[in-house]
Amino acid sequence: MGETKHLSGQEALEKIRELANEKTTMFCTFAGEQMTTRPMHTQGIDEDGTFWFFSAKDSDKNQHITSNMHVHLIYSENSSYEYLWIEGTASVERDQQKIDELWKDFAKAWFTEGKTDPQLTLIRVTPQNGH
């Protein structure tokens, strides 16, 4: 079994970014008592640990977040036997400056009008706890 390390501060943020930045997560939202999980690409992680995702304005996940801001993010790095679980609060936003900063051309597969697509929103996740 691998060694468990208890990280905090800058060391924890660096490990979070190593395991999660621009990687796929299992993004969990809640509709009542029902948890819904789907894969999502992490667009970026700010210096303060805020996670960012692109999402369609009329998506189920945006509706779930509007009703219940509690979310879980689950990452796994199979090759190194590492994982990351984040519990946090989420909000749905439309910030064109942040969209421009995070935009990668592969997102055009979902948002065909590019960075200005009216369906494009951001999900901001502020971590509260993690393992």
Side-chain angles (χ1 to χ4, degrees):
M1 269 285 146
E3 178 185 339
T4 299
K5 294 181 182 178
H6 299 280
L7 306 176
S8 62
Q10 189 61 34
E11 189 179 20
L13 182 56
E14 288 173 13
K15 190 63 174 180
I16 287 169
R17 294 185 89 193
E18 174 189 326
L19 292 172
N21 197 35
E22 295 192 23
K23 305 245 176 93
T24 299
T25 187
M26 295 308 292
F27 192 105
C28 308
T29 57
F30 297 86
E33 296 293 316
Q34 179 69 40
M35 181 173 71
T36 302
T37 304
R38 82 281 290 155
M40 290 189 67
H41 182 77
T42 308
Q43 295 301 130
I45 303 172
D46 288 346
E47 293 300 320
D48 66 357
T50 301
F51 288 69
W52 293 97
F53 302 88
F54 289 157
S55 181
K57 181 168 61 173
D58 59 357
S59 68
D60 288 344
K61 67 188 145 305
N62 282 22
Q63 292 172 20
H64 293 173
I65 290 167
T66 301
S67 299
N68 181 347
M69 63 190 339
H70 188 77
V71 298
H72 293 208
L73 309 176
I74 304 165
Y75 296 86
S76 178
E77 186 63 53
N78 293 341
S79 63
S80 61
Y81 302 103
E82 295 179 294
Y83 76 95
L84 174 65
W85 172 78
I86 297 290
E87 177 182 23
T89 55
S91 60
V92 177
E93 304 178 9
R94 176 70 192 196
D95 177 339
Q96 192 61 51
Q97 184 176 351
K98 193 65 176 178
I99 290 169
D100 291 344
E101 175 188 327
L102 297 171
W103 183 262
K104 303 274 189 303
D105 283 337
F106 81 87
K108 207 165 188 179
W110 293 274
F111 303 103
T112 56
E113 295 180 39
K115 297 186 238 185
T116 59
D117 192 312
Q119 282 295 310
L120 177 56
T121 61
L122 291 164
I123 296 177
R124 172 199 295 252
V125 175
T126 304
Q128 305 298 315
N129 194 8
H131 297 282

